[in-house]
Amino acid sequence: KMLKTHKTLLSDLQKQYGVAPQYIVSFWGLETVFGRHKGKMSTLNSLATLACDQRRSSYFTDELFDLFYLIENKTVDVDQLQGSWAGAMGHMQFMPSALKKYAIDGDKDNKINVWQSEVDALTSAANYLSQIGWQRGERWGREVKLPPEFDFASFEFDKKYPLSKFAQAGVQTAQHKALPPSSMQAELVLPNGHNGHAFLVYNNFDVTMKWNLSKNYALAVGI
């Protein structure tokens, strides 16, 4: 439904930033269920409290001062500042540092409003992904089938190898077809162990993990 509703916008974002529509909508759905759960906690209170927590005090203190900067420069209004317990805000759950660096006035109304303006939020997300390394025209990865005799010892965990090396090891697509002959670097991810689903993931998977440092999250976006 959202792909259809925002078809023109998402197509324009793909042309400008190189991020395909399905990825932007996937992030949106995972972050806030398309804006239904943006969070209602005071962002100022959340960040001030977390800045006093010794476990990640430095990180949240920096985020709090970035938020002060956004307020001082009138990028945001104090009465807008609602979000998650960790200070993430709006449709795409941007932290203040991300809002400061990557937010864009997509609807050209001279305000950046990632809470109410879906256009601002989606445009900012596309800009963010592009700026942190999203590769235009590349997929995130793919599900694959490992042969029964697959040599796990030849592929280290958390390390990339050329796609051709996996092909030589007998790895096929999920449809049991040959992998494309390519030097593209890929990592084998086994979220449920060696007997579960297997995935080969590429650069855009790593970019997704810059958004949220979780392989399960990145798989969810891709799938």
Side-chain angles (χ1 to χ4, degrees):
K1 181 180 177 182
M2 291 302 178
L3 281 168
K4 291 179 181 178
T5 300
H6 295 283
K7 183 178 180 179
T8 300
L9 169 65
L10 292 167
S11 177
D12 290 343
L13 293 179
Q14 182 174 15
K15 291 173 185 174
Q16 184 170 356
Y17 299 103
V19 186
Q22 65 268 27
Y23 294 112
I24 298 174
V25 170
S26 183
F27 279 104
W28 189 15
L30 282 169
E31 290 295 344
T32 63
V33 195
F34 313 109
R36 278 183 279 179
H37 302 292
K38 295 192 287 282
K40 297 182 179 179
M41 298 185 72
S42 163
T43 306
L44 278 165
N45 286 350
S46 294
L47 291 175
T49 300
L50 289 165
C52 296
D53 185 332
Q54 293 184 357
R55 288 172 295 180
R56 298 185 69 190
S57 177
S58 178
Y59 170 75
F60 285 110
T61 298
D62 288 344
E63 292 293 340
L64 181 61
F65 275 86
D66 279 341
L67 188 60
F68 290 157
Y69 174 90
L70 293 171
I71 295 169
E72 186 175 12
N73 285 273
K74 302 189 185 306
T75 304
V76 298
D77 297 326
V78 172
D79 58 6
Q80 288 179 301
L81 299 179
Q82 290 187 330
S84 75
W85 65 271
M89 300 173 287
H91 282 274
M92 307 303 285
Q93 293 293 278
F94 273 10
M95 293 298 287
S97 59
L99 199 63
K100 178 182 174 183
K101 291 178 185 175
Y102 306 111
I104 286 181
D105 174 20
D107 56 18
K108 310 297 185 188
D109 66 350
N110 296 316
K111 294 182 291 185
I112 293 175
N113 188 340
V114 296
W115 292 267
Q116 275 75 45
S117 172
E118 295 179 356
V119 178
D120 285 3
L122 299 181
T123 304
S124 298
N127 181 52
Y128 178 33
L129 290 166
S130 174
Q131 293 290 332
I132 64 175
W134 192 272
Q135 295 299 302
R136 182 185 296 268
E138 289 187 11
R139 60 194 299 164
W140 66 277
R142 66 177 81 225
E143 185 172 1
V144 294
K145 296 294 183 184
L146 305 181
E149 69 283 1
F150 183 73
D151 183 11
F152 287 94
S154 295
F155 297 90
E156 291 183 37
F157 177 74
D158 243 359
K159 186 175 179 180
K160 284 187 163 56
Y161 300 89
L163 203 57
S164 55
K165 181 176 173 70
F166 289 104
Q168 291 166 7
V171 180
Q172 296 181 319
T173 69
Q175 293 75 38
H176 296 284
K177 295 182 180 179
L179 292 171
S182 172
S183 60
M184 178 183 283
Q185 296 292 299
E187 175 192 341
L188 179 64
V189 175
L190 305 168
N192 307 117
H194 71 285
N195 288 324
H197 293 278
F199 301 89
L200 290 181
V201 299
Y202 311 136
N203 177 80
N204 285 339
F205 183 88
D206 297 336
V207 175
T208 302
M209 287 185 61
K210 292 180 184 178
W211 181 299
N212 186 320
L213 191 58
S214 162
K215 287 187 176 181
N216 285 338
Y217 180 94
L219 284 171
V221 169
I223 295 168

